[in-house]
Amino acid sequence: MNTPENELSTGKLDSSGGVQSVDRAISVLEILARSGGAGVSAVAADIGVHKSTAFRLLGALEARGLVEQTHERGKYYLSFGVLRLASAIPGRLDLVRQGRAILDRLAGEFGETANLAVLRSHYVVNLDQAHGTAAVVALNWVAQLTPLHATSAGKVLLAYLEDDEAGLLLDTAGLVRFTDHTLTDRAMLAAQLAVVRADGHATAVDELEDGLSTIAVPVRDHSSTVVAALTISGPGYRLTAARMQEVLEELKAGATRISERLGYLG
């Protein structure tokens, strides 16, 4: 008689135990991806099963070439079989395609403009955007270069760089004043970037343009590196501090969804 774990290796799945086995097997792969490697006991404890069940799951995954034991017997690691599966979808792993639906949803829900931006040299460049219904003038920011220090996206991208790298970018770009509210003091900017790292988001109010408010959160890739910023922008009379707090939860959820599509495991 096949156990659920045996069914995983033979390909015979029923409607109950088989589904549970698939769920557990995926959990095992995620554990190994996060930890870099784990033994049977650690895997069993993490997914809440008996050691014998974890052993059979790992054995089935090893038989399919998805996990392996190397020099340290009893400890399992992801194998190159995972790369073989992932190689079938490299063209889909790009920011614009993964972010498009999220931008549309955010713009539709909040009525403001949603943008996806990345670092290019010592600037921020907007890759894609979606306009909300509340936008009176639909400004096109796609492919536009904007300053790091005066935008919420730029602050997010700066905040997660090494200090030396961020410093070099700011040395090149300078801290140009655009409005009376632009941060032009390096110490004050550094203090604000520390807050961005602690809070997980950045804001810019009247810093690039008078009357323009923006809020941004980081997007990460499979290596946990911040590769982009997801933003909502709008006029200050609508996108007030209180409104930005309302937007923030959904903005972070959207960034998490894009990050997961890029392979981020949390």
Side-chain angles (χ1 to χ4, degrees), residues 8 18-32 43 47 57-58 60-61 66-67 78:
L8 176 65
V19 173
Q20 185 181 54
S21 293
V22 171
D23 183 67
R24 286 174 172 172
I26 292 171
S27 295
V28 170
L29 294 175
E30 290 177 339
I31 291 165
L32 298 184
V43 169
I47 62 176
L57 284 167
L58 286 161
L61 292 169
L66 299 177
V67 306
L78 292 183

Side-chain angles (χ1 to χ4, degrees), residues 46-258:
D46 207 321
I47 62 176
V49 298
H50 193 273
K51 283 178 61 175
S52 62
T53 299
F55 182 80
R56 287 194 294 270
L57 284 167
L58 286 161
L61 292 169
E62 187 176 27
R64 293 300 183 105
L66 299 177
V67 306
E68 63 181 356
Q69 299 178 80
T70 55
H71 61 281
E72 188 178 349
R73 295 296 296 177
K75 194 167 186 179
Y76 292 81
Y77 304 84
L78 292 183
S79 183
F80 286 103
V82 174
L83 294 179
R84 184 181 68 249
L85 296 178
S87 66
I89 56 168
R92 295 171 58 190
L93 299 182
D94 71 282
L95 280 165
V96 172
R97 276 189 284 183
Q98 298 302 336
R100 183 68 234 181
I102 304 300
L103 292 177
D104 287 339
R105 182 177 62 77
L106 289 169
E109 182 173 353
F110 297 108
E112 305 295 353
T113 301
N115 276 282
L116 191 62
V118 297
L119 188 67
R120 177 177 293 175
S121 183
H122 53 283
Y123 294 101
V124 178
V125 62
N126 291 281
L127 295 181
D128 199 11
Q129 71 177 17
H131 293 295
T133 55
V136 178
V137 179
L139 296 176
N140 184 13
W141 289 95
V142 175
Q144 297 296 313
L145 299 178
T146 54
L148 289 166
H149 68 293
T151 60
S152 60
K155 292 176 189 177
V156 162
L157 295 170
L158 277 174
Y160 293 94
L161 294 175
E162 294 294 331
D163 290 342
D164 289 347
E165 186 178 359
L168 288 173
L169 292 178
L170 292 173
D171 287 342
T172 302
L175 299 182
V176 178
R177 180 176 295 281
F178 296 95
T179 73
D180 290 341
H181 298 279
T182 305
L183 277 174
T184 57
D185 181 272
R186 286 283 285 266
M188 291 179 64
L189 178 60
Q192 191 169 113
L193 296 180
V195 174
V196 171
R197 287 189 292 272
D199 293 347
H201 72 276
T203 61
V205 178
D206 299 327
E207 295 179 42
L208 180 63
E209 296 179 5
D210 286 319
L212 177 65
S213 294
T214 67
I215 182 170
V217 297
V219 173
R220 300 176 184 271
D221 68 5
H222 65 282
S223 66
S224 298
T225 301
V226 173
V227 293
L230 182 63
T231 77
I232 290 285
S233 61
Y237 66 85
R238 279 202 312 262
L239 202 55
T240 61
R243 181 60 170 162
M244 283 196 281
Q245 283 301 309
E246 295 174 3
V247 166
L248 182 58
E249 183 177 350
E250 288 302 313
L251 191 62
K252 285 185 173 180
T256 296
R257 183 61 180 140
I258 298 172

